[in-house]
Amino acid sequence: MSAPDILLEVTALERRFTLPRRHLLAAAPEVHALNAVDFTIARGHSFGVVGESGCGKSTLARLVMALDRPTAGSVSLLGRNLFALGPDELRLMRRHFQIVFQDPFGSLDPRFKVGRAIGEPLDALEPDTTRAERRERIAQSLADVGLKPADAGKYPHEFSGGQRQRIAIARALIVRPDLIVADEPVSALDVSVQAQVLNLMAELQERHGVTYMLISHDLAVVEHVAETIAVMYLGRIVEQGLAAQVFAAPRHPYTQALLDAVPSLERRDRSRRQRIPEMGASLDPYDPGCPFRARCPKAEARCAAERPGLREVAGGQRAACHFA
């Protein structure tokens, strides 16, 4: 991938949280939410991040949005490291990336009419916009997501969950960002509505060339939208590649187990499914071995002594497993 094609580049990203000391003389324990995360997203493409709750997906989203600062590493958008920018420069950069939150009921202020909610990014990032231009762009954003311009005068409680998420997408689109980070955008919606919102996101990408970073625990959602996916486990990417490759031939045992756990008419033989134990206590972050070995059916002595690195195993597909 040539440099001009890269919209977002995440390099050696780490985030550690220090917990309170148990007693005065004890060292303060740390939680490693992210460990050496690397990936790039090409302009106009969709990148999916999938994994269990607690694997670090939302922490990654917050760092990409510069809502939190990393312990180490960098996040570069359009070739600029977001964490090397001053407050004013970062504010100007924010028009290039927006976020769609998980809960369509909590992400909209119930006191504001929809037009005001959608227009907030314009007020903050493009304050020179005239009233007439503001009304026109709000109406266009509503039309883009399949709603009527007249809906700008209504309150959020007058809409269904799926319609509220469309409003949230319209709010993200109004400044025509290069990147939209969607953090579990359909997990709070009915299954029948999920497909409508996902189809809408795909249509908007085709129409406006927007780039998506999609965070989800649902493999079916990621498969529907993302072209490239990364599977996360305990703060690390354990498998990465084109979605078609990963779903057709998963190389990491964790990815294989996640896929086997998805209900499917094509996967009728339940006896062949791998069942991995529930996630227990996290391993010591300084443990030298593979963090998945306690749940892995393939684990051997080598897995306890040597942590596998993320390496290419087939045609650009990468996996962090000794036996991939």
Side-chain angles (χ1 to χ4, degrees):
M1 188 183 302
S2 60
D5 295 330
I6 296 175
L7 176 66
L8 179 75
E9 183 174 14
V10 173
T11 306
L13 199 62
E14 295 188 11
R15 184 64 172 102
R16 299 191 293 273
F17 295 95
T18 303
L19 301 179
R21 299 172 186 264
R22 294 185 178 179
H23 54 82
L24 185 61
L25 299 179
E30 287 187 332
V31 173
H32 288 224
L34 288 179
N35 288 277
V37 173
D38 294 278
F39 63 85
T40 59
I41 305 180
R43 184 183 294 276
H45 288 250
S46 298
F47 184 84
V49 181
V50 66
E52 293 173 298
S53 296
C55 72
K57 305 187 302 295
S58 292
T59 300
L60 177 60
R62 288 179 58 81
L63 291 174
V64 168
M65 288 299 301
L67 299 175
D68 191 9
R69 295 193 68 85
T71 307
S74 65
V75 175
S76 296
L77 183 73
L78 296 169
R80 303 186 70 186
N81 182 359
L82 298 181
F83 301 109
L85 302 177
D88 293 337
E89 291 178 301
L90 180 58
R91 183 183 182 87
L92 291 175
M93 279 293 291
R94 287 198 180 278
R95 70 176 304 277
H96 297 287
F97 59 105
Q98 293 290 303
I99 189 168
V100 175
F101 294 100
Q102 175 178 355
D103 184 6
F105 296 92
S107 62
L108 298 173
D109 193 320
R111 301 170 298 172
F112 295 169
K113 291 183 178 180
V114 165
R116 179 176 175 181
I118 293 176
E120 278 188 309
L122 282 180
D123 300 336
L125 303 175
E126 299 182 25
D128 295 332
T129 305
T130 66
R131 289 187 178 182
E133 290 173 337
R134 188 178 185 276
R135 286 195 298 269
E136 182 179 345
R137 290 178 66 174
I138 290 171
Q140 183 59 54
S141 290
L142 284 167
D144 283 343
V145 298
L147 297 175
K148 299 176 182 178
D151 290 332
K154 298 179 181 178
Y155 287 93
H157 72 267
E158 300 179 63
F159 297 89
S160 66
Q163 289 173 323
R164 288 191 193 194
Q165 199 63 300
R166 288 173 182 262
I167 293 168
I169 294 172
R171 179 174 58 185
L173 279 173
I174 196 165
V175 292
R176 291 292 182 259
D178 297 285
L179 173 71
I180 290 181
V181 176
D183 188 3
E184 299 276 10
V186 297
S187 64
L189 306 178
D190 293 338
V191 174
S192 59
V193 180
Q194 288 182 5
Q196 297 174 16
V197 173
L198 294 174
N199 288 334
L200 170 65
M201 292 175 66
E203 290 171 12
L204 292 172
Q205 183 176 50
E206 185 175 349
R207 192 184 314 162
H208 299 298
V210 66
T211 303
Y212 290 120
M213 176 178 163
L214 178 67
I215 310 288
S216 182
H217 69 279
D218 190 335
L219 287 167
V221 169
V222 174
E223 185 178 21
H224 187 83
V225 175
E227 297 160 274
T228 306
I229 69 170
V231 180
M232 288 189 67
Y233 183 76
L234 290 183
R236 294 178 179 273
I237 293 179
V238 296
E239 184 159 359
Q240 184 177 342
L242 295 175
Q245 287 180 316
V246 174
F247 281 95
R251 302 289 180 161
H252 195 281
Y254 178 59
T255 310
Q256 294 168 7
L258 287 179
L259 288 171
D260 285 339
V262 176
S264 172
L265 294 175
E266 297 176 0
R267 201 176 284 111
R268 297 176 182 274
D269 187 1
R270 294 176 178 266
S271 64
R272 294 179 57 192
R273 293 187 179 183
Q274 296 185 57
R275 296 193 62 85
I276 56 175
E278 295 293 329
M279 184 182 293
S282 299
L283 292 175
D284 183 334
Y286 302 103
D287 184 283
C290 174
F292 186 64
R293 68 179 187 274
R295 306 172 69 190
C296 182
K298 299 180 180 180
E300 296 183 0
R302 180 186 179 187
C303 302
E306 179 186 350
R307 175 173 290 167
L310 194 63
R311 60 185 176 84
E312 184 169 344
V313 292
Q317 188 174 354
R318 301 193 298 163
C321 178
H322 294 306
F323 311 108

